[in-house]
Amino acid sequence: MSKVTLKDIRLREYTLENLGLLGRLRKDLMRTRPEVCIERARHTTRYLRDLSSDDEPMETRYAKAVAYFLSKKAPLFFDDNLLAGTTTSKPFGAPVYQELTGMTIWPELDTISTRGKNPLILSREDAEELNFEIFPYWMERNILEYTRKKHNNPGCMRLFERIVFFLASKAGTISHTVPDYRKVLAKGIEGIIEEAAAREEDVRRKGADTPDNRHSIEFYQAVQIVMKGVLEYAANLSRRAEELAAAETDPARRENLLRMSETCARVPAKPARTFREALNSLWICQVAVHAENINMAMSPGRLDQVLYDYYRRDIDSGTLTVGEAIELVGCLWLKLNDNTNLVPETSEELFGGAGTVPAVTVGGVDENGEDAVNDLTYIMLRVTELLKLRDPSVNARYHYEKNTEEYRDRVAEVIVNTKAVPAFHNDVVDIKVLENQGTSTEHARDYAVIGCVELASAGRSYDASSSIIFNLVSALELAMYNGKRPATGDEQIGPQTGDPAGFSTFEEFWEAFKTQLKWLIGEAIKLNEYFGRAHQEMLPTPLLSAFFEGPMEKGRDLIRGGALYNSSGATHIGFADTVDSLSAIEKAVFMDRKCTFAELLTALRDDFRGHEKLHAYLVYKTPKYGTDDPIAVKNSRNLIRFLYDFYQGHTNYRGGRYRPGYWTMTNHAGQGKLSGALPNGRKAHKVFASGITPASQAAGDLSACLKAVGGLDGLCIPSGEALNLKYPHVNGNGDIKTFAQAVESYFRYGGLHVQFNIMSYEELIDAKKNPEKYPELLVRVSGYSAYFKDLNEAMKDEIITRTAYDLGTGRAVPFPEEYRSMLAYE
Amino acid sequence: MLEKILNWLTLRPLRMRILRRKFLKCLESEIAEEFLEMLLRFMSLAFLLDRDFRRNIEDFNGRYLFRSRDNSITVAVVFKDNRMKVYEKNLEDTNVTVTFRNGKALMGYLLSPKPDILGSLLRQDVTFNGNLNYVYKFAYMAKRLQLMATGEI
């Protein structure tokens, strides 16, 4: 039976004008400049350095450090938001995770406030505290240096530090996952503490004489310790709100502060009873998770499902109106924007512009496989449509056999109205993908999106989906240059697979390429395993673990394999450029004999200068991924299959398999800038295509493009894919219908994910030239949203040059002649 | 008081002014061959003269080796006992070894307000072997020195 009771699923009567609070809060957020917040670094360092001993087991010691911070964390109320709790001590803060990558900003302490790209305000006093008090303690103790020392600066780490081969995200994160907030809403933190205490007692009765039991006892103790820290923070919020209410003269504000005080006195300690309590409980837990773990893609999950019962109960009892629910959900959306990442200027230049990407998932089917769309789904879509914010990254699941067309078309309409969000996910294939990874059908149906596009059975699966970011082009170049790369000069990096000039068939080159891939991926996996073990020793996660199914039952921290399901994700950069280059080599060198391999390499080294005829041939006459050319289809499918088989053959330190995915955030722009010319005609230092998207301007027909991408075996893409499409405009209901039907067709071909930018080449070019005219222009990058103005120049160019399709004809819109120099092959 | 007398007797303030001028000139030069030498001399003296700046090396032990790629320059810098010592020789057991293409490249890495990051990566202008946190600390001190020299702090 449908759970949709709204008369108007568009909720058109609710606007930012008549929801004054949301309008005001949004305006404040947009004009607030980000600041570095050292509160967490200060308190965790003080505890670990001055108040604890190296002899203590790390599980309880770290729990005490996080609890200490939570108890000292300032209870702040910056604005009139209806939810209490802040991620940092600043209205818009970038917390310092000094044990991860926080120390990379050390050289910039005097200049970060004034740097060119995405400056962050840092006070003189805070900079001095970081320089003199905090960073020195961590010089040998952050995850990178701990690992380096332990493994004697291994080769895989030195490869990672060259940047151009792969990135190992674990140096900077325990993140990219979906906690289970249902549990805390249902039983409260006190219930979790009681459970941990009872389980600790059980293990004690069995005896603490085995290492496993000892660890279990420490884990249960750690959960109790850290959860008490969460309770202290909530109690401090309650007290402070009461104090502020007493001094407040504005009646509405006073009322709100009193309600927050009451709410925080109740939750998250106890089970939530109302929609408002559930939202605030969830938000305080999200804040607490970031007290322990970095703010990268820590995703709240299926909020329309998690919060639905509370919503329904309040609506039915008449204690909540739809308008109030919209306001509360809007407050949560705004709260999820109260923090940003702390990254050095180099990262901003190469990869900048990302938010913290807490993904929210709506729609799809429930655990029984039935339509899960409810009133709250539409409320969340309306809030997304009204606020047009970078975060949360909203993802709409669509099951074409179970969800209604009405829902599908409404999601499409919100995309058109925001020009970018939400992203569409294919329930039919996504569920099969997870089942194929060993997830039970019920759990697979209850999947949520992590960060960009990755899939997780919410609160049951710890996937660390961004563990490896692998540059496929680097392996291709190693094969082309016999184990060397132009970007790293004459140094022998990979195995010597032979001078391809001596190869007589494409298959020989394909074998060389696979050899380089296997070697390089092997190095990336080796480093990820080192980092994973270091995390186990240094940075346990008892707080996050308590919000998962598995760790409490097993008595084992998440980072030690406590979750019900485990995996590590590896995403790939340069997929389309690699496939097109393979196809170009096959066609140009081995089939058409247009050039020898040696001649091709000479042309690449010259960046095609003096080789214009060959360049034109490579660009216009060789097979392109995203078309129905059989060579392109074969090479794309072979590569996907090979990577899947290779990764799945590796088991991680938590006992889960490695999962390949194809989403690139902004890495395809940065890595493209660091790479030489390629056989597909892409010139040196131009951006790569994003995610699993065909190279810009390579796939001229929308239908063929959707068939080609959808035709890739989704089961071989268990860590998700990002297909980026662009329409210059979608006009009226007829176009929206066509738009939504195209998505459904793509899903029926087998595609997992698609996201859109509804904007023309001209509009984007103008936004690049005149950023002041487009301060809030939201775009989809490759799995997440960003404000266009915050992106680096390369990333802006990539979004501008992405193929735009005319929805009516399905043909690519010609790129403006006067800007052709922006294209990757020009 | 004793420190002030010692500074005056050894003409440190005067030497500091001269070095500051040379350092700034070096920063503006196209080649900056002498950048590392200038930086280290200026830094050494700044630690002696400026109590606030000296706080950076209180209780700090660090062993650095700076080496040009062609091996024409090899300089060891040791921070110990609240002092900075510079040796023109190789050094074992360093916390980090910094290899640079030339003085300009090293300067660009440490000090440029608009560093050519992509170019630097592509050319492998500066590479490191060892604990990067020591590089970050040194880069912070170098940057601070530059801001002091230009009067921005």
Side-chain angles (χ1 to χ4, degrees):
Chain A
M1 195 181 112
S2 172
K3 290 176 181 166
V4 179
T5 62
L6 295 170
K7 286 196 186 109
D8 172 22
I9 59 167
R10 289 174 177 75
L11 297 161
R12 277 170 294 197
E13 66 179 290
Y14 301 99
T15 64
L16 282 188
E17 286 67 44
N18 59 32
L19 296 165
L21 174 66
L22 293 187
R24 266 198 333 274
L25 292 175
R26 183 183 188 279
K27 207 175 274 178
D28 287 349
L29 174 74
M30 288 299 177
R31 60 173 171 228
T32 305
R33 287 183 62 199
E35 298 176 68
V36 177
C37 170
I38 71 162
E39 189 184 39
R40 178 188 178 278
R42 172 189 295 147
H43 292 301
T44 53
T45 303
R46 194 170 290 166
Y47 183 83
L48 292 168
R49 186 189 56 207
D50 306 332
L51 302 171
S52 70
S53 152
D54 285 345
D55 300 332
E56 192 175 347
M58 206 56 203
E59 192 82 42
T60 47
R61 187 181 181 208
Y62 197 64
K64 285 177 187 169
V66 175
Y68 178 79
F69 162 49
L70 283 166
S71 70
K72 301 284 178 195
K73 184 173 166 52
L76 297 166
F77 297 83
F78 293 115
D79 54 28
D80 293 337
N81 196 300
L82 303 176
L83 305 178
T86 59
T87 306
T88 72
S89 64
K90 312 289 182 189
F92 183 22
V96 180
Y97 292 90
Q98 73 284 354
E99 71 277 34
L100 298 164
T101 52
M103 287 169 72
T104 55
I105 62 149
W106 202 342
E108 295 180 41
L109 291 181
D110 283 329
T111 53
I112 194 167
S113 303
T114 54
R115 72 184 184 190
K117 196 76 196 163
N118 299 338
L120 297 159
I121 298 165
L122 176 64
S123 72
R124 183 75 243 133
E125 296 73 28
D126 285 356
E128 298 235 321
E129 191 172 337
L130 287 172
N131 181 47
F132 291 119
E133 303 294 328
I134 296 170
F135 286 165
Y137 173 76
W138 292 94
M139 285 190 80
E140 310 284 347
R141 290 178 171 88
N142 71 354
I143 201 87
L144 189 75
E145 297 312 330
Y146 177 90
T147 308
R148 189 197 310 281
K149 200 168 182 179
K150 185 168 180 183
H151 297 282
N152 198 21
N153 201 9
C156 53
M157 184 175 271
R158 294 202 300 275
L159 267 178
F160 154 53
E161 286 172 349
R162 305 294 282 268
I163 298 180
V164 294
F165 297 101
F166 58 82
L167 301 175
S169 301
K170 266 207 183 61
T173 175
I174 294 178
S175 66
H176 286 79
T177 195
V178 184
D180 174 18
Y181 289 132
R182 272 182 266 229
K183 185 175 172 181
V184 73
L185 297 186
K187 62 197 289 185
I189 296 276
E190 286 175 354
I192 292 174
I193 292 173
E194 278 171 29
E195 183 190 344
R199 288 183 184 275
E200 182 194 344
E201 197 46 44
D202 274 355
V203 182
R204 279 193 189 283
R205 272 197 293 274
K206 286 179 203 153
D209 48 357
T210 66
D212 275 357
N213 282 3
R214 269 200 302 279
H215 175 76
S216 290
I217 289 169
E218 285 161 13
F219 170 70
Y220 289 130
Q221 287 174 337
V223 170
Q224 294 169 67
I225 292 164
V226 79
M227 286 296 158
K228 283 174 188 161
V230 184
L231 294 184
E232 278 201 65
Y233 177 56
N236 290 341
L237 283 170
S238 175
R239 265 192 300 275
R240 184 66 187 144
E242 194 177 10
E243 285 165 14
L244 289 171
E248 181 58 61
T249 53
D250 181 283
R253 269 199 193 126
R254 187 168 58 239
E255 170 63 18
N256 184 34
L257 285 163
L258 285 173
R259 285 200 72 180
M260 282 195 282
S261 177
E262 284 166 21
T263 303
C264 294
R266 165 89 197 173
V267 293
K270 299 188 187 309
R273 296 166 302 186
T274 65
F275 187 60
R276 182 170 178 149
E277 282 183 1
L279 275 165
N280 212 142
S281 181
L282 187 147
W283 170 242
I284 290 173
C285 291
Q286 179 84 356
V287 168
V289 163
H290 285 142
E292 184 186 72
N293 308 280
I294 200 166
N295 55 342
M296 279 186 193
M298 205 56 90
S299 303
R302 304 184 73 185
L303 292 186
D304 62 338
Q305 308 304 308
V306 172
L307 296 166
Y308 180 68
D309 287 348
Y310 302 93
Y311 165 82
R312 186 79 267 160
R313 215 158 44 214
D314 285 5
I315 288 282
D316 290 348
S317 67
T319 53
L320 180 77
T321 66
V322 170
E324 286 166 347
I326 289 177
E327 208 162 46
L328 282 164
V329 169
C331 281
L332 179 64
W333 263 222
L334 288 152
K335 280 285 182 187
L336 287 164
N337 281 273
D338 82 345
N339 63 101
T340 188
N341 298 131
L342 179 68
V343 288
E345 191 160 26
T346 310
S347 300
E348 289 288 0
E349 287 287 339
L350 281 173
F351 312 117
T356 60
V357 205
V360 167
T361 306
V362 299
V365 297
D366 62 19
E367 292 176 33
N368 299 314
E370 297 305 322
D371 184 4
V373 173
N374 58 42
D375 288 355
L376 209 42
T377 314
Y378 288 113
I379 285 175
M380 289 177 179
L381 287 173
R382 180 59 174 157
V383 169
T384 303
E385 185 178 40
L386 288 173
L387 291 179
K388 297 183 179 69
L389 296 170
R390 178 170 72 176
D391 288 323
S393 175
V394 180
N395 297 273
R397 289 173 46 172
Y398 175 57
H399 194 297
Y400 52 76
E401 289 164 355
K402 296 289 183 180
N403 295 140
T404 62
E405 273 185 27
E406 203 179 22
Y407 163 69
R408 181 200 69 185
D409 294 352
R410 174 61 185 146
V411 174
E413 185 183 41
V414 176
I415 294 170
V416 171
N417 289 339
T418 59
K419 292 178 176 281
V421 283
F424 256 120
H425 289 262
N426 182 356
D427 255 23
V428 176
V429 181
D430 285 354
I431 291 166
K432 284 184 190 153
V433 165
L434 287 176
E435 287 173 330
N436 186 52
Q437 290 296 307
T439 309
S440 76
T441 300
E442 262 188 18
H443 292 169
R445 285 173 180 154
D446 189 32
Y447 79 87
V449 174
I450 309 168
C452 293
V453 298
E454 313 92 278
L455 313 173
S457 179
R460 306 178 189 94
S461 177
Y462 182 50
D463 298 298
S465 56
S466 175
S467 293
I468 296 169
I469 301 173
F470 188 90
N471 182 0
L472 287 169
V473 170
S474 67
L476 179 79
E477 286 194 330
L478 290 176
M480 288 178 357
Y481 299 99
N482 196 12
K484 297 177 182 176
R485 267 202 86 181
T488 45
D490 203 36
E491 192 178 342
Q492 186 70 39
I493 302 284
Q496 295 189 5
T497 41
D499 179 353
F503 294 164
S504 51
T505 64
F506 173 71
E507 283 64 39
E508 282 181 73
F509 181 76
W510 172 245
E511 287 304 316
F513 174 52
K514 285 196 295 184
T515 301
Q516 298 292 351
L517 271 177
K518 282 193 264 191
W519 174 78
L520 201 51
I521 293 171
E523 292 296 302
I525 288 176
K526 190 193 293 180
L527 183 57
N528 187 58
E529 293 296 303
Y530 286 163
F531 281 140
R533 302 269 174 211
H535 276 290
Q536 289 180 334
E537 289 159 23
M538 286 179 65
L539 296 173
T541 60
L543 194 153
L544 186 61
S545 299
F547 296 146
F548 266 77
E549 197 176 327
M552 292 290 270
E553 293 77 5
K554 294 182 195 172
R556 200 185 308 158
D557 194 292
L558 208 58
I559 200 71
R560 289 177 178 268
L564 212 52
Y565 306 102
N566 282 284
S567 73
S568 288
T571 192
H572 296 85
I573 301 161
F575 176 76
D577 291 281
T578 302
V579 169
D580 287 351
S581 292
L582 288 168
S583 302
I585 289 168
E586 183 169 1
K587 186 91 166 42
V589 179
F590 298 104
M591 290 174 71
D592 291 357
R593 311 272 175 194
K594 282 282 175 187
C595 61
T596 63
F597 217 116
E599 287 164 349
L600 176 64
L601 293 184
T602 303
L604 298 182
R605 284 195 187 102
D606 295 342
D607 199 16
F608 298 111
R609 275 183 295 274
H611 308 273
E612 283 73 17
K613 201 172 161 192
L614 176 61
H615 181 246
Y617 166 83
L618 292 169
V619 171
Y620 297 110
K621 299 290 182 191
T622 58
K624 298 291 182 240
Y625 163 65
T627 69
D628 55 9
D629 187 293
I631 293 174
V633 170
K634 176 204 70 170
N635 284 325
S636 60
R637 292 183 181 183
N638 283 351
L639 183 55
I640 291 274
R641 182 79 219 182
F642 171 76
L643 290 170
Y644 175 74
D645 288 341
F646 188 73
Y647 278 106
Q648 290 273 292
H650 289 77
T651 303
N652 72 12
Y653 59 96
R654 287 177 278 109
R657 281 184 287 181
Y658 278 82
R659 296 180 181 176
Y662 301 85
W663 43 276
T664 53
M665 300 183 281
T666 50
N667 291 283
H668 57 286
Q671 292 291 357
K673 296 295 274 185
L674 297 171
S675 295
L678 292 177
N680 66 338
R682 173 198 153 278
K683 290 199 170 170
H685 316 315
K686 296 276 191 165
V687 294
F688 295 146
S690 65
I692 204 149
T693 314
S696 296
Q697 311 299 320
D701 182 79
L702 178 62
S703 176
C705 170
L706 296 179
K707 270 186 198 160
V709 183
L712 298 171
D713 186 354
L715 296 185
C716 295
I717 309 175
S719 201
E721 66 178 27
L723 172 64
N724 295 297
L725 288 180
K726 188 161 75 184
Y727 295 131
H729 40 73
V730 179
N731 297 324
N733 289 342
D735 267 8
I736 287 174
K737 198 89 183 157
T738 311
F739 173 18
Q741 283 165 343
V743 172
E744 179 155 341
S745 300
Y746 167 61
F747 283 179
R748 286 180 185 275
Y749 293 139
L752 278 81
H753 159 278
V754 61
Q755 59 180 17
F756 297 89
N757 286 308
I758 312 295
M759 44 200 89
S760 66
Y761 297 126
E762 290 77 9
E763 186 181 0
L764 286 163
I765 289 166
D766 193 45
K768 187 182 175 193
K769 276 193 201 162
N770 305 294
E772 69 288 349
K773 278 168 63 183
Y774 303 85
E776 296 174 12
L777 179 63
L778 197 63
V779 290
R780 289 296 285 182
V781 180
S782 180
Y784 64 85
S785 309
Y787 299 115
F788 189 71
K789 66 177 170 41
D790 292 342
L791 297 170
N792 61 48
E793 298 306 295
M795 196 55 236
K796 285 178 183 167
D797 287 355
E798 194 275 309
I799 290 179
I800 291 169
T801 57
R802 280 180 194 170
T803 311
Y805 293 98
D806 183 311
L807 197 53
T809 64
R811 300 294 306 165
V813 178
F815 194 77
E817 267 312 309
E818 62 270 39
Y819 295 102
R820 286 187 68 83
S821 62
M822 294 173 83
L823 298 174
Y825 52 82
E826 290 290 341
Chain B
M1 190 59 178
L2 186 67
E3 189 174 302
K4 278 187 179 167
I5 294 168
L6 194 65
N7 283 341
W8 184 77
L9 284 174
T10 53
L11 302 176
R12 279 173 186 160
L14 177 65
R15 282 162 57 204
M16 184 74 174
R17 279 200 294 277
I18 294 167
L19 263 176
R20 176 179 166 273
R21 272 203 300 274
K22 282 187 177 176
F23 181 64
L24 287 173
K25 208 172 165 188
C26 178
L27 296 189
E28 286 160 11
S29 87
E30 278 301 306
I31 307 165
E33 267 175 6
E34 295 175 329
F35 168 71
L36 182 61
E37 184 193 344
M38 281 296 136
L39 173 71
L40 296 177
R41 285 175 62 193
F42 190 36
M43 191 180 269
S44 258
L45 206 53
F47 283 132
L48 289 171
L49 276 174
D50 189 315
R51 188 172 292 181
D52 285 344
F53 191 56
R54 190 158 64 233
R55 271 189 74 199
N56 281 294
I57 56 168
E58 281 173 12
D59 302 320
F60 172 55
N61 292 320
R63 292 162 67 85
Y64 294 76
L65 185 67
F66 292 90
R67 195 166 53 196
S68 62
R69 189 170 296 169
D70 63 4
N71 282 319
S72 62
I73 303 170
T74 301
V75 178
V77 182
V78 177
F79 297 97
K80 199 181 172 191
D81 300 330
N82 304 337
R83 302 287 294 268
M84 171 188 178
K85 290 190 175 164
V86 179
Y87 308 94
E88 283 193 27
K89 63 171 190 180
N90 207 347
L91 190 70
E92 297 296 312
D93 300 327
T94 56
N95 295 105
V96 67
T97 297
V98 180
T99 306
F100 52 96
R101 184 183 291 274
N102 53 41
K104 186 84 177 168
L106 184 63
M107 186 173 87
Y109 178 81
L110 290 173
L111 299 181
S112 173
K114 285 290 277 179
D116 176 15
I117 293 157
L118 294 174
S120 178
L121 281 167
L122 279 173
R123 293 187 297 270
Q124 296 280 297
D125 276 348
V126 185
T127 57
F128 311 100
N129 190 3
N131 187 326
L132 294 182
N133 293 330
Y134 285 79
V135 180
Y136 299 148
K137 181 177 172 70
F138 188 86
Y140 169 78
M141 295 191 296
K143 188 79 198 173
R144 167 52 68 107
L145 203 59
Q146 181 193 25
L147 296 172
M148 285 159 62
T150 54
E152 289 172 73
I153 284 184

